[in-house]
Amino acid sequence: MVSGAPARSDSRLSSLGLGIAVVLTAIVALVNLCSAIIPSSPGPESWFLSLWPMPVRVGARLFSALSGFFLLSLATNLGRRKRVAWWLTVGLLSLSGLSHLIRGLHYQQSLLCLALLGLLLWLRPAFVAWSDRPSIIQGVRVLLGALVFTLAYGTLGFWWLDYHYATPFSLPGALSQTLAMFFTADNGGLRPTTAFGAYFARSIYGVGAGTLGYGLWMLFRPVILRETASPAERQRARAIVEQYGHSSLARITLLEDKSYYFSPSGQTVVAYIARGRGAIALGDPIGPPADLTAAVVGFRDFCQLNDWHPAFYQTLAEHLDLYEALGFRLLKIGEEAIIDLHRFTLKGRAGRSLRSAVNKCLGQGYRVQVYQPPLGEALLAELRAVSDDWLRYRRQGVEKRFSLGWFDPDYLETSVIAVVEDSQGKALAFANLISEYQLNEATIDLMRYHHEALPGTMDYLLVSLLQYCQQQGYDNFNLGLVALSDLVGTTHPSRLQRGIRYLYNHLNQLYNFQGLRAYKEKFQPHWQPRYLVYSHRVSLPDIIIALVRIDSGDLLQEYLGAQFFSNALSGWVKACSRLLPALLSLGLFSLCIWAIIHELHKYQPQVIINHIRAIPRPTLMLALGLTGLNYLFLSGYDVLARFFVRHRLPYLKTALVATISYAISNSVGFALLSGSAIRYRFYAAWGLSPGQIAQIIAFCNLSFWIGLLAVGGLVFALEPLKIPAMLHLPFDTVYPLGMIFLVVIATYLGLSSWSRRSLNIGGWSIPRLPLRLSLAQIGVTSCDWALAAAILYVLLPADAGVPYLAFFSSYLLAEIAGVLSNVPGGLGVFETVLILLVSPPLGSDALLGALLMYRVIYYLTPLLVGVALLAAYELYRHPYRRRLLP
């Protein structure tokens, strides 16, 4: 007992020191913020200020403001003993102390920084925790903090420093002026009366760029940097799982979202994900039984070093005594349905409903096909269509993760998959089987069906799978977990268990737990309990939040619990999220139309008409010829897609569908919807499978963006267009944008050269293309963009004086704005941006005349041709319809 007292005393002293360090860090951050705003008053130290040039003094103030933001962001992580936060804070404090001296020998602030620096150096051994994994939630918090900090900096500054401006500010007026700095061309009419007032107004842009840029980086960091296990760790974990895995979760532990902890002996692996302060292990540690205790203790210590609360999710009942002996708490979370394949049969009264479903499906011509790995891309494309439909109708588009697989082609192509197909061979439902390695039991993971499938289709699929597994010699079949199942039967329930039971009874109407158990009961399973093992009761809220985030893939609406609290609220939010883009597009369209009308009021209509009449007839013919050549290259999108899906379709057919598709979608907008419908109509009639059609549509849409990035990157780098100052962007030209585009294209080509798998970003999957096909894709699409710009360029007056490359740069920027606006054909948006960029030197009246003719030649004429070709095709395909014509 005596020997342990100094250790406990040191621990309490260290905790007290950490608390003081956190408070002092926040105080230093606020001091830095205030010192950046308040101007230096004349005094004895003025001679020292004169030693430093103005850029150094201004830079010191700007650094004080930014360091205040970053120190506030780091304070919480210091309290959690994060090692990187310690290093960053030490560096910022050292520079902050120096900046206070440079700004006028402010030794009081420097001494405060020095005192905190000494405290942190004394506490150095306490900072051992790793940084948290990148997450979208973390990024949202930082971005919101950056917005608040920037607004606070500007508002307090204008309020305190109003005597440096022509107009005094109230507190609300200071807030309005801060917003005006970012959203008005003339800074809201701000008139500084002193040099410091002008400096402060400019500094808001620097603070905003620094803080908001950092917030955006934190927001997109989970997509750019995916910090999961290394390939060597994955290979090591796979070897252990294949040797010792014996549960339904064994295969799921090898999915790419998991990180791994290895026991001190290296024989046991724990698959986990850390979110916030919770580190959730999936199932029990996997390894030899003799090493289990060391693995659990080691993982607990590993989590303590990183300021995480450890938990084990869906553990088996056989190890509960071990967890309790080590001080963990237990919570029953549900039961798994296990079917004994030696006893399963459709005979008798128990199998009556299943026999009925099977007979009904067989009567409709349904059949089940079992596919062995590896699976082809065409089959995976068909299954994705079924999966997307299921997510849309059954899960509101949300994929569950962590303890389940998700639709990942790299995962599914290694699985045995059973597919229900109709009499035409169209996939209607599917399920995949995964191995439990050392246990002779098959587990079902994904089960998805199309909303048009007959009722009872899933019964038919599961019965077929059970019969297949019987033929393969399996002993059992695992139907998966039913959450919160059979909690009523728990003996001597704790207060927490009674609370979970209460939730079960009241949330069943939302999640239908009882209905899921009743459905699985049809297959006559026996039930095995599963548990959540956690460290202590105080940690449970952090663990539950981490589970929600992990399970939903860090989706914000799941984290906030919109579906948990109210289906009605969730539906309202989803409806608003669907309506908002349309409202924004309508607002942007209206604003652009207003801008064009405002521009037209400067000229008489006859002036614009005269400019149109002044376009020579040979120029009009040249524009029409370039349009035809452009559509020749547009047909190249579908030709390359045909090679991608390995289907030998004649060029004339491919050119026909491409011409009709682009002629209509370019004008009516919503290209993904209108163009896809036309392609499906034609290609399905010509014998392509739904999977191949989906691949063609995805390829063409990918080609559009790849071409835009490639030609945009090259043009923006060679001809860096100057950005209007009214936009207040952190760069003056589009050169940085061009370099970003080129880096993206170089990365894309690199993946085409070296990667052997598709690239998955969120819910999007970018297929891996051969390098030659990728280069052809870039070449064809770049010619398409160059020709589209050339059509408008030749319609400009001969004395326009705008080089083609400079005009091409403006054209691309206007097209990007039009595409992002979602307005059909970019109508109004494209014209407004182009007028803003090209006029002057080109007069707005001449440019408007050329734009009107461009709309007629490039949009209206192909639309009329496309509609005529579509009507002719339909009449040719269905001759009886000719009789319906007058």
Side-chain angles (χ1 to χ4, degrees):
M1 294 291 292
V2 177
S3 62
R8 289 195 298 271
S9 178
D10 290 343
S11 177
R12 285 195 295 268
L13 190 60
S14 177
S15 299
L16 178 62
L18 281 174
I20 294 174
V22 170
V23 173
L24 284 179
T25 302
I27 291 174
V28 170
L30 295 176
V31 168
N32 283 4
L33 173 62
C34 294
S35 64
I37 295 174
I38 300 174
S40 300
S41 56
E45 68 278 1
S46 299
W47 67 270
F48 187 78
L49 281 174
S50 63
L51 298 178
W52 303 97
M54 180 59 71
V56 174
R57 285 181 279 166
V58 170
R61 286 189 174 276
L62 187 59
F63 174 79
S64 293
L66 291 174
S67 64
F69 167 74
F70 288 111
L71 286 172
L72 280 176
S73 302
L74 293 168
T76 303
N77 286 323
L78 285 177
R80 296 180 57 198
R81 300 179 286 112
K82 299 297 183 181
R83 184 184 308 163
V84 174
W86 183 89
W87 280 107
L88 291 174
T89 305
V90 166
L92 286 173
L93 288 174
S94 303
L95 294 174
S96 293
L98 183 62
S99 71
H100 287 308
L101 293 175
I102 292 175
R103 289 188 305 101
L105 289 178
H106 296 158
Y107 61 88
Q108 301 95 334
Q109 293 94 321
S110 297
L111 287 176
L112 180 61
C113 292
L114 185 62
L116 178 55
L117 184 61
L119 178 61
L120 289 176
L121 291 174
W122 177 66
L123 293 171
R124 170 65 184 90
F127 294 91
V128 295
W130 293 352
S131 299
D132 291 334
R133 268 46 170 191
S135 71
I136 294 176
I137 299 300
Q138 183 187 59
V140 169
R141 285 200 299 262
V142 174
L143 185 58
L144 290 176
L147 286 169
V148 171
F149 184 89
T150 303
L151 288 176
Y153 175 80
T155 301
L156 293 176
F158 284 125
W159 186 47
W160 285 344
L161 304 172
D162 59 352
Y163 56 89
H164 289 274
Y165 302 96
T167 304
F169 296 108
S170 63
L171 195 60
L175 175 61
S176 299
Q177 179 58 51
T178 304
L179 294 173
M181 298 296 292
F182 292 97
F183 296 107
T184 62
D186 61 348
N187 295 334
L190 183 70
R191 287 181 296 163
T193 57
T194 65
F196 187 83
Y199 149 75
F200 179 77
R202 291 193 301 270
S203 72
I204 293 177
Y205 297 129
V207 171
T211 57
L212 297 177
Y214 176 69
L216 289 172
W217 161 250
M218 294 295 290
L219 183 64
F220 292 110
R221 191 173 62 144
V223 178
I224 300 171
L225 301 176
R226 296 181 175 270
E227 295 183 10
T228 54
S230 66
E233 289 175 327
R234 294 198 177 281
Q235 186 175 2
R236 185 180 174 190
R238 179 177 293 277
I240 295 174
V241 171
E242 290 177 350
Q243 184 177 359
Y244 295 104
H246 62 284
S247 74
S248 59
L249 299 175
R251 176 64 181 90
I252 306 300
T253 62
L254 300 177
L255 295 183
E256 64 178 15
D257 61 332
K258 309 298 187 299
S259 298
Y260 299 108
Y261 166 79
F262 296 94
S263 66
S265 68
Q267 296 179 296
T268 302
V269 63
V270 177
Y272 73 95
I273 298 180
R275 287 290 183 274
R277 298 198 66 184
I280 316 299
L282 182 59
D284 300 292
I286 300 176
D291 197 39
L292 182 61
T293 301
V296 174
V297 172
F299 182 67
R300 181 184 62 190
D301 295 342
F302 169 72
C303 291
Q304 288 176 350
L305 285 175
N306 290 283
D307 195 41
W308 297 334
H309 298 307
F312 298 84
Y313 181 63
Q314 292 193 33
T315 63
L316 304 177
E318 62 191 69
H319 301 307
L320 297 184
D321 292 340
L322 169 64
Y323 291 117
E324 287 186 309
L326 294 174
F328 285 91
R329 294 175 176 268
L330 311 175
L331 178 64
K332 184 179 179 182
I333 56 173
E335 294 185 316
E336 274 190 343
I338 312 295
I339 300 172
D340 185 347
L341 292 177
H342 298 293
R343 300 177 58 185
F344 175 75
T345 180
L346 293 180
K347 298 177 181 179
R349 181 179 300 176
R352 180 185 303 169
S353 64
L354 296 177
R355 290 197 304 272
S356 174
V358 171
N359 292 333
K360 181 178 180 181
C361 290
L362 290 175
Q364 292 295 320
Y366 284 15
R367 66 180 185 274
V368 172
Q369 295 277 23
V370 178
Y371 295 91
Q372 302 293 331
L375 307 178
E377 291 184 354
L379 175 61
L380 286 172
E382 291 190 59
L383 299 185
R384 179 176 286 280
V386 174
S387 176
D388 290 346
D389 180 87
W390 182 84
L391 288 171
R392 183 165 54 252
Y393 282 90
R394 302 288 298 179
R395 295 292 311 161
Q396 291 80 47
V398 178
E399 284 266 28
K400 296 299 182 182
R401 294 176 180 251
F402 187 51
S403 60
L404 297 171
W406 57 93
F407 198 98
D408 178 11
D410 296 321
Y411 161 58
L412 289 178
E413 69 180 4
T414 63
S415 303
V416 174
I417 293 188
V419 183
V420 178
E421 299 174 350
D422 63 11
S423 57
Q424 305 299 319
K426 178 183 177 182
L428 294 175
F430 72 92
N432 73 305
L433 294 178
I434 56 178
S435 171
E436 298 189 20
Y437 301 105
Q438 300 305 313
L439 188 64
N440 192 33
E441 180 177 283
T443 295
I444 194 168
D445 187 20
L446 299 186
M447 288 192 301
R448 301 186 175 179
Y449 60 91
H450 198 277
H451 76 280
E452 295 178 351
L454 286 174
T457 298
M458 296 310 292
D459 288 354
Y460 173 48
L461 175 60
L462 284 173
V463 167
S464 301
L465 270 176
L466 290 169
Q467 293 171 341
Y468 168 81
C469 290
Q470 285 176 326
Q471 297 169 3
Q472 298 300 311
Y474 285 100
D475 295 324
N476 298 304
F477 189 93
N478 192 314
L479 272 178
L481 181 76
V482 177
L484 307 181
S485 176
D486 198 32
L487 298 182
V488 178
T490 304
T491 58
H492 307 295
S494 64
R495 183 181 303 174
L496 179 60
Q497 202 80 47
R498 290 195 295 270
I500 297 295
R501 185 185 303 169
Y502 174 85
L503 287 176
Y504 171 75
N505 292 329
H506 286 77
L507 293 180
N508 181 67
Q509 58 181 332
L510 297 180
Y511 294 101
N512 196 23
F513 301 124
Q514 295 174 354
L516 180 59
R517 183 182 177 98
Y519 176 79
K520 294 186 177 183
E521 284 282 10
K522 293 192 299 184
F523 298 90
Q524 309 151 46
H526 63 274
W527 298 89
Q528 294 183 358
R530 296 292 179 263
Y531 296 86
L532 173 67
V533 176
Y534 59 100
S535 52
H536 45 80
R537 189 171 297 169
V538 177
S539 68
L540 198 55
D542 287 317
I543 290 171
I544 291 175
I545 289 175
L547 267 174
V548 172
R549 292 176 59 185
I550 292 168
D551 181 61
S552 66
D554 248 337
L555 290 178
L556 188 60
Q557 67 268 28
E558 293 287 326
Y559 180 64
L560 297 176
Q563 292 182 334
F564 181 85
F565 288 114
S566 169
N567 272 3
L569 177 61
S570 179
W572 182 83
V573 171
K574 287 184 174 65
C576 289
S577 67
R578 289 192 294 267
L579 187 60
L580 186 60
L583 292 176
L584 289 175
S585 298
L586 181 61
L588 183 60
F589 173 72
S590 302
L591 185 63
C592 292
I593 293 299
W594 173 85
I596 292 175
I597 293 175
H598 179 74
E599 195 70 28
L600 287 173
H601 276 312
K602 299 178 181 178
Y603 309 101
Q604 294 294 326
Q606 189 61 42
V607 174
I608 298 175
I609 294 174
N610 290 338
H611 278 291
I612 295 175
R613 289 175 175 173
I615 300 175
R617 184 171 299 179
T619 299
L620 295 177
M621 298 304 297
L622 175 60
L624 285 171
L626 290 174
T627 301
L629 184 60
N630 177 252
Y631 269 81
L632 181 65
F633 277 95
L634 282 174
S635 69
Y637 285 58
D638 287 70
V639 171
L640 294 176
R642 182 191 65 184
F643 285 111
F644 175 61
V645 300
R646 297 181 176 87
H647 193 284
R648 295 186 176 181
L649 194 68
Y651 171 74
L652 289 179
K653 287 187 174 182
T654 306
L656 175 65
V657 68
T659 300
I660 296 175
S661 173
Y662 286 113
I664 294 177
S665 64
N666 282 351
S667 296
V668 305
F670 310 105
L672 189 60
L673 178 63
S674 56
S676 299
I678 293 170
R679 284 190 173 91
Y680 189 87
R681 172 73 170 166
F682 280 83
Y683 287 134
W686 294 335
L688 276 75
S689 68
Q692 290 174 315
I693 298 173
Q695 286 182 293
I696 289 176
I697 293 170
F699 181 93
C700 291
N701 282 283
L702 175 64
S703 300
F704 172 86
W705 288 105
I706 291 297
L708 178 59
L709 292 176
V711 73
L714 187 62
V715 172
F716 291 163
L718 295 177
E719 187 67 36
L721 178 73
K722 187 174 179 61
I723 295 176
M726 63 177 294
L727 297 180
H728 294 307
L729 294 180
F731 39 83
D732 298 328
T733 70
V734 294
Y735 181 80
L737 191 62
M739 298 309 297
I740 293 173
F741 285 3
L742 290 177
V743 168
V744 172
I745 291 300
T747 304
Y748 175 73
L749 292 175
L751 290 172
S752 298
S753 301
W754 301 305
S755 177
R756 293 296 178 265
R757 51 188 293 183
S758 58
L759 176 63
N760 298 306
I761 301 177
W764 297 88
S765 178
I766 300 177
R768 184 263 170 188
L769 303 181
L771 180 60
R772 292 175 61 185
L773 189 57
S774 297
L775 291 173
Q777 181 187 43
I778 292 174
V780 168
T781 53
S782 298
C783 291
D784 162 39
W785 282 105
L787 284 168
I791 296 167
L792 177 57
Y793 184 74
V794 299
L795 293 172
L796 298 177
D799 58 350
V802 181
Y804 173 72
L805 198 59
F807 174 79
F808 194 12
S809 183
S810 302
Y811 177 90
L812 287 174
L813 208 57
E815 279 287 358
I816 292 173
V819 171
L820 294 180
S821 71
N822 284 323
V823 174
L827 184 63
V829 180
F830 171 76
E831 285 81 357
T832 302
V833 175
L834 202 60
I835 289 172
L836 181 66
L837 296 174
V838 180
S839 176
L842 187 62
S844 298
D845 51 347
L847 182 57
L848 283 170
L851 283 168
L852 288 173
M853 283 307 303
Y854 176 72
R855 284 286 177 184
V856 171
I857 293 174
Y858 189 71
Y859 287 94
L860 182 58
T861 303
L863 176 62
L864 296 175
V865 173
V867 171
L869 288 174
L870 180 62
Y873 172 80
E874 291 296 332
L875 290 174
Y876 173 79
R877 186 181 178 195
H878 303 286
Y880 69 88
R881 293 184 181 176
R882 298 172 192 167
R883 297 194 296 269
L884 300 179
L885 298 177

